[in-house]
Amino acid sequence: DCCRSSHRSSNSMTTLAFAEGFSDAAYRLIEMDEPLLQELLSDGGSVCIKGCGEDEAVLTTHDASYVVRLADSSNSMLLVRGGVEVSSTAGSPGGGGGGGEENQPPLAVAARAHEHLELVRCAPRLGDVRRRLCACPYGGREAEEALDEPAVGEEEALAPSRPDARPTLSSLEAAAQCSPLELRAALQRWRAVEVAGRWCCLDPQYEADCVECLLALAVEQEWPLHAVPVPAAVEALAAQFDEATVRHCLRSHSTAAAAPWEEWLPPPP
Protein backbone atom coordinates (compact mmCIF):
# COMPACT_ATOMS: atom_id res chain seq x y z
CA ASP A 1 0.00 0.00 0.00
CA CYS A 2 1.11 3.56 -0.51
CA CYS A 3 -0.17 7.06 -0.11
CA ARG A 4 0.92 10.49 -1.27
CA SER A 5 1.51 13.64 0.70
CA SER A 6 1.61 17.06 -0.95
CA HIS A 7 2.96 20.38 0.33
CA ARG A 8 0.73 23.01 -1.20
CA SER A 9 3.08 25.98 -0.75
CA SER A 10 5.89 24.42 -2.77
CA ASN A 11 3.73 22.21 -5.03
CA SER A 12 5.94 19.27 -4.03
CA MET A 13 4.71 15.74 -3.68
CA THR A 14 6.25 12.84 -1.78
CA THR A 15 5.35 9.18 -2.05
CA LEU A 16 4.85 7.24 1.17
CA ALA A 17 4.87 3.46 1.19
CA PHE A 18 4.07 1.19 4.11
CA ALA A 19 7.17 -0.91 4.66
CA GLU A 20 7.12 -4.65 4.88
CA GLY A 21 6.58 -5.51 8.51
CA PHE A 22 4.70 -2.25 9.15
CA SER A 23 3.72 -2.11 12.81
CA ASP A 24 0.74 -0.49 14.45
CA ALA A 25 2.18 -1.23 17.88
CA ALA A 26 2.03 1.31 20.69
CA TYR A 27 5.18 3.38 20.20
CA ARG A 28 5.96 6.02 22.79
CA LEU A 29 7.24 9.27 21.32
CA ILE A 30 8.56 12.05 23.54
CA GLU A 31 8.79 15.70 22.51
CA MET A 32 11.76 17.72 23.76
CA ASP A 33 13.79 20.74 22.72
CA GLU A 34 17.24 20.51 21.15
CA PRO A 35 19.36 21.26 24.27
CA LEU A 36 17.53 18.58 26.26
CA LEU A 37 17.89 16.11 23.39
CA GLN A 38 21.63 16.73 23.20
CA GLU A 39 21.96 16.23 26.97
CA LEU A 40 20.09 12.94 26.64
CA LEU A 41 22.26 11.79 23.73
CA SER A 42 25.46 12.69 25.54
CA ASP A 43 24.80 9.70 27.84
CA GLY A 44 26.23 11.41 30.87
CA GLY A 45 23.61 9.89 33.13
CA SER A 46 22.06 13.25 33.99
CA VAL A 47 18.68 12.60 32.34
CA CYS A 48 16.33 10.17 34.08
CA ILE A 49 12.64 9.65 34.84
CA LYS A 50 11.65 9.38 38.51
CA GLY A 51 8.48 8.40 40.31
CA CYS A 52 6.77 5.47 41.97
CA GLY A 53 3.30 4.41 43.05
CA GLU A 54 0.78 7.16 42.38
CA ASP A 55 3.43 9.79 41.56
CA GLU A 56 3.38 11.61 38.26
CA ALA A 57 6.47 10.74 36.26
CA VAL A 58 9.08 13.52 36.40
CA LEU A 59 11.99 13.77 33.97
CA THR A 60 15.05 15.43 35.48
CA THR A 61 18.19 16.82 33.91
CA HIS A 62 21.27 18.10 35.75
CA ASP A 63 19.50 21.37 36.60
CA ALA A 64 15.75 21.18 35.84
CA SER A 65 12.60 19.09 36.33
CA TYR A 66 9.78 18.35 33.88
CA VAL A 67 6.50 16.56 34.52
CA VAL A 68 5.82 13.94 31.82
CA ARG A 69 2.27 13.98 30.45
CA LEU A 70 0.52 11.99 27.76
CA ALA A 71 -0.81 14.06 24.86
CA ASP A 72 -3.37 12.49 22.55
CA SER A 73 -3.62 13.49 18.90
CA SER A 74 -6.43 13.11 16.39
CA ASN A 75 -3.79 12.73 13.68
CA SER A 76 -1.56 9.71 13.20
CA MET A 77 2.18 10.31 13.30
CA LEU A 78 4.09 8.23 10.77
CA LEU A 79 7.50 6.86 11.67
CA VAL A 80 9.84 6.76 8.66
CA ARG A 81 13.12 4.86 8.50
CA GLY A 82 16.24 6.92 7.83
CA GLY A 83 16.43 10.64 7.14
CA VAL A 84 13.73 12.49 5.25
CA GLU A 85 14.77 14.90 2.51
CA VAL A 86 12.04 16.16 0.21
CA SER A 87 13.03 18.15 -2.87
CA SER A 88 11.13 21.42 -3.21
CA THR A 89 11.11 20.99 -7.01
CA ALA A 90 9.91 17.42 -7.09
CA GLY A 91 6.69 17.22 -9.03
CA SER A 92 6.43 20.98 -9.57
CA PRO A 93 5.70 22.27 -13.07
CA GLY A 94 8.94 23.33 -14.72
CA GLY A 95 10.85 22.58 -11.60
CA GLY A 96 13.64 20.78 -13.43
CA GLY A 97 13.26 17.82 -11.18
CA GLY A 98 14.16 15.41 -13.93
CA GLY A 99 10.84 13.63 -14.06
CA GLY A 100 9.34 14.83 -10.79
CA GLU A 101 8.32 12.46 -8.06
CA GLU A 102 8.58 9.43 -10.36
CA ASN A 103 12.37 9.60 -9.80
CA GLN A 104 12.05 9.94 -6.03
CA PRO A 105 12.11 6.67 -4.01
CA PRO A 106 9.11 6.34 -1.71
CA LEU A 107 9.54 6.94 2.00
CA ALA A 108 9.11 3.70 3.93
CA VAL A 109 6.68 4.09 6.82
CA ALA A 110 7.70 1.58 9.46
CA ALA A 111 5.08 2.35 12.11
CA ARG A 112 2.63 4.93 13.34
CA ALA A 113 1.73 6.46 16.69
CA HIS A 114 -1.44 8.15 17.92
CA GLU A 115 -0.05 9.87 21.02
CA HIS A 116 3.14 11.27 22.44
CA LEU A 117 4.66 12.36 25.73
CA GLU A 118 5.20 16.05 26.36
CA LEU A 119 7.44 17.70 28.95
CA VAL A 120 6.16 20.55 31.11
CA ARG A 121 8.66 22.42 33.27
CA CYS A 122 7.73 22.03 36.94
CA ALA A 123 8.96 23.00 40.38
CA PRO A 124 11.13 20.41 42.15
CA ARG A 125 9.05 17.96 44.19
CA LEU A 126 10.80 17.91 47.53
CA GLY A 127 8.15 16.95 50.08
CA ASP A 128 9.58 13.50 50.76
CA VAL A 129 13.12 14.91 50.98
CA ARG A 130 12.06 17.35 53.68
CA ARG A 131 10.31 14.57 55.63
CA ARG A 132 13.39 12.33 55.54
CA LEU A 133 15.70 15.14 56.65
CA CYS A 134 13.49 16.00 59.61
CA ALA A 135 12.83 12.39 60.69
CA CYS A 136 15.99 12.27 62.78
CA PRO A 137 17.37 15.77 63.45
CA TYR A 138 20.85 16.25 64.87
CA GLY A 139 20.90 17.56 68.42
CA GLY A 140 24.51 17.13 69.48
CA ARG A 141 26.71 14.25 70.57
CA GLU A 142 24.79 13.44 73.75
CA ALA A 143 21.52 13.24 71.85
CA GLU A 144 23.18 11.05 69.22
CA GLU A 145 24.37 8.61 71.87
CA ALA A 146 20.86 8.41 73.27
CA LEU A 147 19.42 7.73 69.81
CA ASP A 148 21.97 4.98 69.25
CA GLU A 149 20.32 3.02 72.07
CA PRO A 150 17.15 1.43 70.62
CA ALA A 151 14.00 1.73 72.70
CA VAL A 152 12.64 -1.31 74.47
CA GLY A 153 11.00 -3.59 71.93
CA GLU A 154 12.17 -1.48 69.00
CA GLU A 155 13.71 -3.34 66.10
CA GLU A 156 16.87 -1.67 64.88
CA ALA A 157 16.04 -2.00 61.18
CA LEU A 158 12.59 -0.41 61.65
CA ALA A 159 13.59 2.66 63.64
CA PRO A 160 13.16 5.73 61.34
CA SER A 161 14.56 8.08 63.98
CA ARG A 162 17.87 6.25 64.30
CA PRO A 163 21.01 8.07 63.02
CA ASP A 164 21.86 5.19 60.68
CA ALA A 165 18.43 5.58 59.04
CA ARG A 166 19.25 9.08 57.82
CA PRO A 167 19.56 9.35 54.03
CA THR A 168 22.83 9.68 52.16
CA LEU A 169 23.17 12.25 49.39
CA SER A 170 23.15 9.51 46.75
CA SER A 171 19.91 8.01 48.11
CA LEU A 172 18.26 11.45 48.10
CA GLU A 173 19.37 12.03 44.50
CA ALA A 174 18.00 8.64 43.44
CA ALA A 175 14.56 9.10 45.00
CA ALA A 176 13.87 12.85 44.86
CA GLN A 177 11.77 14.03 41.92
CA CYS A 178 14.11 16.90 41.14
CA SER A 179 17.44 17.58 39.50
CA PRO A 180 20.72 17.31 41.46
CA LEU A 181 21.16 21.09 41.28
CA GLU A 182 17.64 21.69 42.67
CA LEU A 183 18.25 19.15 45.46
CA ARG A 184 21.48 20.84 46.54
CA ALA A 185 19.78 24.24 46.54
CA ALA A 186 17.07 22.84 48.83
CA LEU A 187 19.63 21.35 51.22
CA GLN A 188 21.28 24.76 51.52
CA ARG A 189 17.94 26.54 51.91
CA TRP A 190 16.88 24.16 54.70
CA ARG A 191 20.30 24.40 56.37
CA ALA A 192 20.72 20.63 56.23
CA VAL A 193 23.91 19.17 57.68
CA GLU A 194 25.96 16.09 56.86
CA VAL A 195 26.65 13.90 59.91
CA ALA A 196 28.82 10.80 59.45
CA GLY A 197 28.07 10.69 55.72
CA ARG A 198 24.29 11.05 56.18
CA TRP A 199 22.05 14.11 55.89
CA CYS A 200 19.54 15.66 58.29
CA CYS A 201 18.37 18.97 59.70
CA LEU A 202 19.56 20.34 63.01
CA ASP A 203 17.19 20.03 65.95
CA PRO A 204 15.39 23.44 65.93
CA GLN A 205 16.02 24.16 69.62
CA TYR A 206 19.64 23.00 69.43
CA GLU A 207 20.24 25.25 66.41
CA ALA A 208 18.54 28.24 68.06
CA ASP A 209 20.62 27.78 71.23
CA CYS A 210 23.85 27.64 69.21
CA VAL A 211 23.02 30.79 67.22
CA GLU A 212 22.02 32.64 70.41
CA CYS A 213 25.32 31.69 72.07
CA LEU A 214 27.26 32.81 69.00
CA LEU A 215 25.59 36.22 69.01
CA ALA A 216 26.17 36.65 72.75
CA LEU A 217 29.81 35.61 72.33
CA ALA A 218 30.31 38.09 69.48
CA VAL A 219 28.93 40.91 71.65
CA GLU A 220 31.02 39.84 74.64
CA GLN A 221 34.24 39.62 72.63
CA GLU A 222 33.35 42.72 70.56
CA TRP A 223 33.81 40.78 67.34
CA PRO A 224 32.55 42.45 64.15
CA LEU A 225 29.54 40.49 62.91
CA HIS A 226 30.91 40.59 59.37
CA ALA A 227 34.18 38.87 60.43
CA VAL A 228 33.60 36.42 63.28
CA PRO A 229 36.83 34.44 63.95
CA VAL A 230 35.63 30.86 63.44
CA PRO A 231 38.43 28.99 65.33
CA ALA A 232 38.00 31.27 68.35
CA ALA A 233 34.20 30.75 68.33
CA VAL A 234 34.62 26.97 68.10
CA GLU A 235 37.02 26.97 71.05
CA ALA A 236 34.85 29.25 73.21
CA LEU A 237 31.73 27.10 72.75
CA ALA A 238 33.43 23.69 72.87
CA ALA A 239 31.83 22.82 76.21
CA GLN A 240 28.30 23.29 74.83
CA PHE A 241 28.44 22.53 71.11
CA ASP A 242 30.64 20.36 68.93
CA GLU A 243 32.83 21.95 66.30
CA ALA A 244 30.72 20.76 63.35
CA THR A 245 27.59 22.41 64.79
CA VAL A 246 29.30 25.75 65.48
CA ARG A 247 30.82 25.89 62.01
CA HIS A 248 27.54 24.87 60.39
CA CYS A 249 25.55 27.56 62.23
CA LEU A 250 28.10 30.24 61.35
CA ARG A 251 28.03 29.14 57.72
CA SER A 252 24.26 28.73 57.31
CA HIS A 253 23.30 31.93 59.18
CA SER A 254 25.75 34.20 57.35
CA THR A 255 26.45 35.38 53.83
CA ALA A 256 28.28 32.08 53.28
CA ALA A 257 24.84 30.42 53.01
CA ALA A 258 24.57 31.83 49.47
CA ALA A 259 27.92 30.39 48.38
CA PRO A 260 28.11 27.71 45.66
CA TRP A 261 27.62 24.13 46.83
CA GLU A 262 31.32 23.25 46.72
CA GLU A 263 32.18 26.26 48.90
CA TRP A 264 29.19 25.83 51.20
CA LEU A 265 30.08 22.25 52.18
CA PRO A 266 32.44 21.94 55.13
CA PRO A 267 35.94 20.66 54.33
CA PRO A 268 36.53 16.93 54.94
CA PRO A 269 37.95 16.09 58.37
Side-chain angles (χ1 to χ4, degrees):
D1 294 334
C2 68
C3 61
R4 291 185 174 183
S5 172
S6 62
H7 193 289
R8 294 174 183 265
S9 62
S10 61
N11 295 320
S12 64
M13 186 172 292
T14 303
T15 301
L16 301 177
F18 291 101
E20 185 177 352
F22 171 83
S23 173
D24 202 16
Y27 278 84
R28 290 290 192 191
L29 305 180
I30 186 167
E31 182 181 17
M32 61 182 64
D33 59 25
E34 186 64 25
L36 180 54
L37 175 62
Q38 293 306 317
E39 184 173 348
L40 176 63
L41 295 178
S42 68
D43 196 28
S46 60
V47 178
C48 61
I49 296 178
K50 301 178 181 179
C52 60
E54 299 299 319
D55 295 337
E56 278 189 297
V58 173
L59 183 143
T60 64
T61 66
H62 75 286
D63 64 352
S65 302
Y66 303 83
V67 64
V68 183
R69 291 179 178 158
L70 186 64
D72 294 319
S73 175
S74 58
N75 299 319
S76 293
M77 290 170 281
L78 303 181
L79 280 63
V80 178
R81 293 194 182 103
V84 178
E85 294 184 5
V86 180
S87 171
S88 61
T89 60
S92 59
E101 72 273 10
E102 288 79 3
N103 295 329
Q104 300 292 326
L107 298 177
V109 178
R112 65 180 171 182
H114 302 282
E115 56 191 18
H116 71 280
L117 299 173
E118 63 180 6
L119 304 178
V120 180
R121 183 71 183 268
C122 66
R125 302 186 175 189
L126 298 162
D128 188 58
V129 174
R130 179 72 167 175
R131 179 190 62 79
R132 295 176 69 187
L133 292 173
C134 295
C136 184
Y138 180 75
R141 290 200 183 99
E142 291 184 4
E144 290 289 285
E145 292 172 0
L147 288 173
D148 280 333
E149 296 294 332
V152 177
E154 179 185 58
E155 295 186 21
E156 183 174 339
L158 299 179
S161 59
R162 294 284 305 282
D164 54 6
R166 291 170 180 150
T168 62
L169 182 59
S170 60
S171 69
L172 288 175
E173 288 180 336
Q177 287 188 297
C178 63
S179 69
L181 197 66
E182 291 168 327
L183 174 61
R184 284 161 171 75
L187 293 177
Q188 289 182 257
R189 186 168 63 252
W190 295 331
R191 303 189 300 276
V193 62
E194 186 179 21
V195 179
R198 296 178 179 273
W199 285 82
C200 64
C201 290
L202 285 181
D203 177 83
Q205 188 59 56
Y206 183 69
E207 181 180 16
D209 290 345
C210 184
V211 173
E212 183 178 353
C213 288
L214 283 168
L215 291 173
L217 182 63
V219 173
E220 178 187 339
Q221 300 295 327
E222 298 183 347
W223 291 336
L225 293 181
H226 64 276
V228 174
V230 177
V234 168
E235 182 179 359
L237 298 181
Q240 299 165 273
F241 305 98
D242 56 68
E243 179 178 353
T245 297
V246 175
R247 289 183 176 273
H248 179 73
C249 286
L250 284 172
R251 183 173 63 250
S252 58
H253 289 273
S254 67
T255 55
W261 174 261
E262 293 76 12
E263 298 177 17
W264 185 80
L265 279 179

